[in-house]
């Protein structure tokens, strides 16, 4: 049966045709067209369940679950978001319930916080580049090479570099905060981008579109899953996993404490973590799978075998809530703006 669009989201009727089938409610920051293969896979295995998919911004996922729970109302059965800090905060503050699942014991330790919040994807921050602009030469493969390239090219690349606006992009802020932890000389990189007239955007697609058509030569710290999707459709887009270190973020799934049907939420989470669900993620959504059961190039397992310690996954733990500290956040953003403006 075809899904129907409702004011509150998109409804995928149960495949068994039962109009009174139980409804799994999902709050998610993943675009509905991208989520569709996962929902269809789940319903193929669970034909007796309807799904209502509510797409919203990452902040809205968190705020709505908190508001509905605090008001004594029922909320989503499953929440999926790229805002790692906000998802862990839900778990830490008692808004998520424990989900002991068949894959829980096998799940990587860094990707599982007390069986309440699970990292379900493995998404590196990459350099993207316009291939024709690097004909006959290699693109930068480390931050030092990135800085050297910007300095050596000067006016030729001025205004043709893009990255996230860390004030408006949650994932951009997360990547910058991790950069500061991993790399003592990160402000040299920001200074060099400022001197090169870097342009700031809140979305990956705005940067990738400009790299694809040659308006930009380089994009810094771009979410690898979106970059891979663009590169698969645009032969001019190249990707580099920086060899000095590559930050890896994840989208986190959990079952809210006040879920109306927590058993359905757990069923969906279990499917997401299953070999079948993770293969759909890797193959059809072009997002790397976390599960140790899944093989193939687009998996954490293969990336780690190839790149080892170069990869720096952001652990699912209360340490993520440091990024929500308003004083620390304001301090990092102020320094970022000052360094960019100084140029």
């Amino acid at each position: 049966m075809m899904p129907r669009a409702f004011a509150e989201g998109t409804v995928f009727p149960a495949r068994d045709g039962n109009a009174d089938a139980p409804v799994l409610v999902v709050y998610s920051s993943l675009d509905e067209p991208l989520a569709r293969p996962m929902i269809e896979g789940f319903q193929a295995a669970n034909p007796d369940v309807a799904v209502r998919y509510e797409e919203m911004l990452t902040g809205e996922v968190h705020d709505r679950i908190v508001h509905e729970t605090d008001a004594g109302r029922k909320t989503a059965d499953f929440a999926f978001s790229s805002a790692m800090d906000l998802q862990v905060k839900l778990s830490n503050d008692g808004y998520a319930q424990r989900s002991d699942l068949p894959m829980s014991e096998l799940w990587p330790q860094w990707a599982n916080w007390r069986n309440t919040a699970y990292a379900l994807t493995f998404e590196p921050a990459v350099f993207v580049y316009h291939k024709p602009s690097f004909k006959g030469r290699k693109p930068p493969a480390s931050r030092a090479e990135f800085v050297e390239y910007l300095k050596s090219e000067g006016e030729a690349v001025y205004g043709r570099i893009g990255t996230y606006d860390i004030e408006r992009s949650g994932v951009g802020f997360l990547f910058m905060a991790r950069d500061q932890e991993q790399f003592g000389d990160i402000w040299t990189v920001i200074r060099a981008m400022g001197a090169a007239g870097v342009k700031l955007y809140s979305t990956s697609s705005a940067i990738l579109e400009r790299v694809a058509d040659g308006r930009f030569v380089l994009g810094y710290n771009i979410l690898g899953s979106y970059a891979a999707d663009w590169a698969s459709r645009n032969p001019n887009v190249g990707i580099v996993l920086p060899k000095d270190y590559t930050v890896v973020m994840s989208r986190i799934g959990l079952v809210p404490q006040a879920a109306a049907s927590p058993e359905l939420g757990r069923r969906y989470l279990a499917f997401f973590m299953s070999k079948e669900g993770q293969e759909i993620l890797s193959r059809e959504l072009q997002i790397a799978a976390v599960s140790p059961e899944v093989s193939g190039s687009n998996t954490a397992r293969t990336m780690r075998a190839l790149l080892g310690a170069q990869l720096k996954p952001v652990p699912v733990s209360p340490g993520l809530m440091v990024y929500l500290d308003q004083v620390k956040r304001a301090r990092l953003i102020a320094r970022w703006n000052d360094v960019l403006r100084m140029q």
Side-chain angles (χ1 to χ4, degrees), residues 145-216:
E145 288 179 16
F146 190 90
V147 170
E148 188 51 45
Y149 172 80
L150 296 184
K151 286 180 176 175
S152 66
E153 292 300 305
E155 285 298 315
V157 298
Y158 189 85
R160 299 180 66 202
I161 313 296
T163 193
Y164 295 117
D165 179 346
I166 70 167
E167 284 193 79
R168 294 189 297 148
S169 165
V171 75
F173 182 86
L174 176 71
F175 286 155
M176 180 57 208
R178 289 296 282 181
D179 268 350
Q180 194 177 224
E181 292 166 11
Q182 295 289 338
F183 189 51
D185 210 19
I186 190 59
W187 294 106
T188 301
V189 181
I190 310 308
R191 203 167 287 115
M193 286 200 290
V198 67
K199 300 283 201 304
L200 307 179
Y201 297 89
S202 57
T203 66
S204 308
S205 57
I207 299 163
L208 287 158
E209 177 189 310
R210 287 163 174 80
V211 171
D213 66 19
R215 278 177 285 170
F216 286 0

Side-chain angles (χ1 to χ4, degrees), residues 166-338:
I166 70 167
E167 284 193 79
R168 294 189 297 148
S169 165
V171 75
F173 182 86
L174 176 71
F175 286 155
M176 180 57 208
R178 289 296 282 181
D179 268 350
Q180 194 177 224
E181 292 166 11
Q182 295 289 338
F183 189 51
D185 210 19
I186 190 59
W187 294 106
T188 301
V189 181
I190 310 308
R191 203 167 287 115
M193 286 200 290
V198 67
K199 300 283 201 304
L200 307 179
Y201 297 89
S202 57
T203 66
S204 308
S205 57
I207 299 163
L208 287 158
E209 177 189 310
R210 287 163 174 80
V211 171
D213 66 19
R215 278 177 285 170
F216 286 0
V217 290
L218 283 168
Y220 177 78
N221 259 4
I222 309 306
L223 195 55
S225 50
Y226 287 113
D229 181 51
W230 271 78
S232 70
R233 294 180 283 110
N234 295 273
N236 286 343
V237 175
I239 297 172
V240 174
L241 275 71
K243 65 185 181 187
D244 45 357
Y245 67 90
T246 300
V247 175
V248 182
M249 64 80 68
S250 302
R251 294 168 206 260
I252 293 177
L254 56 80
V255 177
Q257 184 62 45
S261 304
E263 69 289 346
L264 290 183
R266 265 191 279 280
R267 223 197 283 186
Y268 191 64
L269 177 56
F271 180 77
F272 229 122
M273 294 169 72
S274 70
K275 189 168 188 283
E276 185 185 352
Q278 289 275 299
E279 281 175 346
I280 290 172
L281 192 74
S282 159
R283 187 179 64 246
E284 297 187 45
L285 277 66
Q286 296 291 314
I287 299 176
V290 174
S291 173
E293 286 192 329
V294 180
S295 55
S297 59
N298 201 21
T299 63
R301 182 175 159 188
T302 299
M303 281 194 222
R304 294 201 126 178
L306 288 171
L307 303 171
Q310 175 184 329
L311 297 173
K312 304 291 182 187
V314 180
V316 182
S317 76
L320 274 162
M321 291 193 297
V322 150
Y323 306 140
L324 296 171
D325 182 305
Q326 292 307 308
V327 174
K328 288 180 180 168
R329 181 184 176 84
R331 197 177 293 143
L332 178 59
I333 289 171
R335 186 171 182 191
W336 162 271
N337 286 328
D338 286 346

Side-chain angles (χ1 to χ4, degrees), residues 53-100:
Y53 190 84
E54 301 195 31
E55 181 193 324
M56 55 191 83
L57 298 172
T58 56
E60 291 172 337
V61 173
H62 171 273
D63 293 350
R64 195 158 156 197
I65 289 170
V66 169
H67 177 74
E68 288 169 348
T69 306
D70 288 352
R73 305 207 308 271
K74 291 300 179 185
T75 190
D77 305 312
F78 181 74
F80 186 55
S81 171
S82 56
M84 297 183 73
D85 46 7
L86 292 175
Q87 289 289 86
V88 167
K89 183 169 170 56
L90 283 175
S91 173
N92 194 68
D93 292 353
Y95 291 96
Q97 56 180 280
R98 191 178 171 94
S99 295
D100 298 313

